[in-house]
Amino acid sequence: MAGKPVLHHFNARGRMECIRWLLAAAGVEFEEKFIQSPEDLEKLKKDGNLMFDQVPMVEIDGMKLVQTRAILNYIATKYDLYGKDMKERALIDMYSEGILDLTEMIGQLLICPPDQKEAKTALAKDRTKNRYLPAFEKVLKGHGQDYLVGNRLTRVDVHLLELLLYVEEFDASLLTPFPLLKAFKSRISSLPNVKKFLHPGSQRKPPLDAKQIEEARKIFKF
Amino acid sequence: MAGKPVLHYFNARGRMECIRWLLAAAGVEFEEKFIQSPEDLEKLKKDGNLMFDQVPMVEIDGMKLAQTRAILNYIATKYDLYGKDMKERALIDMYSEGILDLTEMIGQLVLCPPDQREAKTALAKDRTKNRYLPAFEKVLKSHGQDYLVGNRLTRVDIHLLEVLLYVEEFDASLLTPFPLLKAFKSRISSLPNVKKFLQPGSQRKPPMDAKQIQEARKAFKIQ
């Protein structure tokens, strides 16, 4: 276990993607063990590897960590991506939570019942355009620096880049009114480790379509 | 702002209650400014005090912090309730996240549409009984210590006590098969700062019934 972290999840974005992004940005190689059948998941549970019977689970430094935020917090701390002091961490946490909320809101649209999709899509667009993106545009304008906190790369820069790419997939026109966010996206995308993760053949996962998700739900009964 | 933290929220549990619990357990006095009208909330927004237009918001050490977890993390760090090293923090975070998930699941029942209530209540009971409480009973059994992590009080002990009290309100029989959790509940409840918070007249908030929540949603146009 002194070797590479091992990631246990489906071969999909889900709640593991932000962890993949953070490890990649930190330049940390990782191994993935995909759950491909109900038996795979059942075995992880029976062997006591999932504290709350849930994935994602990451084996790292002798621990079997579950809960996305616990995993992210650990990786960010270990690889010095969590700010230089308590106050920077507080800002990083506040910004990261906002980003995770919006990521969840956009991500949930894929598994949304058809009769709710239109209303939920409209809400997600409104929140993106009128709440979240303005908040981060304002942060960048407020300090005029290249990174969101402390003028150096932290986890929240990686989370925000990930989110901006999802917004772009969702509706690219939503980014138009936010020049500083667009510049931020280009800047962070150009960092060597990030650039590598954005290349084809990396461990980044593509979006699933509704049909693939329906099939996965049938197999795993969730 | 070098004085007491100031908490901005409705006069209700909601997403601020775990913050109240943590401050109280740390022995930190705090002030509350309740949002009592839509105008109160609108003013907080217009004045740029809410980063994502959402409460809870806590003014502390010159910051206006939003997002429950960000606030909890800051308080726990400041008052040395977050473990002694990176690995203890990881366990604390993992356990705390599980507790927050369960708290949310139980808390949501009171504002659940009537046609879903029965199914959601059954699910919440199942998860409580078969997933979450067994997990924490097992932690206590495996190390035989008084606290969940590192053999001293951390934030996760406070969060777990809080959720055990909610479980008890929800269905007290759910706790019956878990003797170590029951002993834990008594033990943590007896700590001086916690005991004080459990007394009537403290800043702890009572449960709301569905009618009160319906009225609050109408007043604030929450969907």
Side-chain angles (χ1 to χ4, degrees):
Chain A
M1 298 240 184
K4 296 177 191 178
V6 179
L7 278 55
H8 297 262
H9 197 252
F10 311 102
N11 185 5
R13 292 177 176 175
R15 292 193 164 84
M16 186 69 90
E17 193 69 353
C18 52
I19 293 162
R20 297 184 184 107
W21 266 95
L22 192 58
L23 286 166
V28 179
E29 291 189 352
F30 57 90
E31 183 183 332
E32 297 195 87
K33 290 191 177 175
F34 297 128
I35 294 164
Q36 292 173 321
S37 70
E39 290 77 30
D40 290 343
L41 184 54
E42 202 53 39
K43 185 173 195 302
L44 278 173
K45 291 180 184 179
K46 286 278 165 49
D47 292 350
N49 290 325
L50 305 178
M51 178 166 188
F52 302 114
D53 286 342
Q54 290 166 326
V55 289
M57 188 270 276
V58 172
E59 296 180 75
I60 187 168
D61 298 339
M63 297 182 291
K64 288 173 175 157
L65 281 183
V66 296
Q67 294 285 358
T68 299
R69 285 174 175 83
I71 298 163
L72 290 172
N73 291 1
Y74 184 75
I75 293 165
T77 301
K78 182 174 179 179
Y79 295 104
D80 194 22
L81 289 167
Y82 217 162
K84 75 179 195 300
D85 60 27
M86 207 169 42
K87 279 195 170 179
E88 284 196 358
R89 280 184 79 110
L91 287 182
I92 287 164
D93 281 342
M94 179 166 64
Y95 299 167
S96 296
E97 285 298 310
I99 291 164
L100 288 177
D101 285 350
L102 183 55
T103 302
E104 173 96 3
M105 185 175 247
I106 292 175
Q108 287 290 311
L109 294 178
L110 264 176
I111 55 174
C112 181
D115 61 298
Q116 291 173 37
K117 183 151 287 186
E118 190 173 336
K120 292 226 168 162
T121 299
L123 181 65
K125 286 191 184 186
D126 172 69
R127 290 280 190 267
T128 301
K129 182 180 163 203
N130 293 316
R131 174 178 287 187
Y132 291 103
L133 297 189
F136 290 111
E137 184 82 359
K138 184 177 172 186
V139 170
L140 291 170
K141 187 173 178 179
H143 58 43
Q145 292 167 351
D146 283 357
Y147 303 99
L148 286 164
V149 176
N151 208 13
R152 63 166 180 145
L153 185 73
T154 68
R155 66 182 279 189
V156 69
D157 301 305
V158 180
H159 298 334
L160 182 57
L161 173 60
E162 183 191 354
L163 173 63
L164 293 175
L165 294 174
Y166 298 151
V167 168
E168 203 165 52
E169 279 174 8
F170 176 37
D171 180 347
S173 72
L174 290 167
L175 287 179
T176 304
F178 302 105
L180 297 181
L181 284 173
K182 288 197 286 186
F184 173 90
K185 180 166 79 71
S186 296
R187 193 162 57 241
I188 305 300
S189 296
S190 300
L191 297 175
N193 287 337
V194 176
K195 197 169 179 178
K196 190 172 162 188
F197 193 61
L198 287 167
H199 276 177
S202 79
Q203 286 164 296
R204 189 162 72 113
K205 304 296 179 262
L208 290 175
D209 60 41
K211 186 163 177 282
Q212 286 171 298
I213 288 181
E214 211 50 45
E215 271 165 24
R217 291 184 101 154
K218 227 174 294 176
I219 295 170
F220 290 99
K221 303 177 191 52
F222 61 81
Chain B
M1 298 243 184
K4 296 177 190 178
V6 179
L7 277 55
H8 296 263
Y9 200 67
F10 312 103
N11 186 5
R13 291 178 176 176
R15 292 193 161 83
M16 186 69 91
E17 193 69 353
C18 52
I19 293 163
R20 298 185 182 107
W21 266 95
L22 191 58
L23 286 167
V28 179
E29 291 189 353
F30 56 90
E31 183 183 331
E32 297 195 87
K33 291 192 177 174
F34 296 128
I35 294 164
Q36 291 173 322
S37 69
E39 291 76 29
D40 289 343
L41 184 54
E42 202 52 41
K43 185 173 195 303
L44 278 173
K45 291 180 184 180
K46 286 278 165 49
D47 292 349
N49 290 325
L50 305 178
M51 177 163 191
F52 302 113
D53 285 343
Q54 290 167 326
V55 287
M57 188 270 276
V58 172
E59 295 179 75
I60 186 168
D61 298 339
M63 297 182 290
K64 289 175 175 155
L65 278 184
Q67 295 286 357
T68 299
R69 286 175 175 82
I71 298 163
L72 289 172
N73 291 1
Y74 184 75
I75 293 165
T77 301
K78 182 174 179 180
Y79 295 104
D80 194 22
L81 290 167
Y82 216 162
K84 76 178 194 299
D85 60 28
M86 207 170 43
K87 279 194 170 178
E88 284 196 359
R89 280 184 79 110
L91 287 182
I92 287 165
D93 281 341
M94 180 166 66
Y95 299 167
S96 295
E97 285 297 310
I99 291 164
L100 288 177
D101 286 350
L102 180 57
T103 303
E104 172 97 3
M105 185 174 246
I106 293 176
Q108 289 289 312
L109 293 178
V110 75
L111 40 81
C112 181
D115 60 297
Q116 291 172 37
R117 177 149 307 162
E118 190 173 335
K120 292 229 170 160
T121 298
L123 181 66
K125 286 191 184 187
D126 172 70
R127 290 279 190 266
T128 301
K129 182 181 164 203
N130 294 316
R131 174 178 287 186
Y132 292 104
L133 297 189
F136 291 109
E137 184 82 359
K138 184 177 172 186
V139 170
L140 291 171
K141 185 173 179 179
S142 70
H143 61 43
Q145 292 167 351
D146 282 357
Y147 303 100
L148 286 165
V149 176
N151 208 13
R152 63 164 180 147
L153 185 73
T154 67
R155 66 182 279 189
V156 69
D157 300 305
I158 303 304
H159 299 334
L160 182 57
L161 173 60
E162 186 190 354
V163 84
L164 291 176
L165 293 174
Y166 298 150
V167 167
E168 202 165 51
E169 279 174 6
F170 176 38
D171 179 347
S173 71
L174 291 168
L175 287 179
T176 304
F178 303 105
L180 297 180
L181 284 173
K182 289 197 285 186
F184 173 91
K185 181 166 77 72
S186 296
R187 192 163 57 242
I188 305 300
S189 296
S190 301
L191 297 175
N193 288 336
V194 176
K195 196 169 178 178
K196 191 172 162 189
F197 193 60
L198 288 168
Q199 305 271 285
S202 78
Q203 286 164 296
R204 189 162 73 113
K205 304 296 178 265
M208 283 193 140
D209 60 40
K211 187 164 177 280
Q212 286 172 297
I213 288 182
Q214 215 53 42
E215 273 165 23
R217 290 181 102 162
K218 217 178 302 175
F220 290 96
K221 299 176 195 46
I222 299 164
Q223 64 249 32

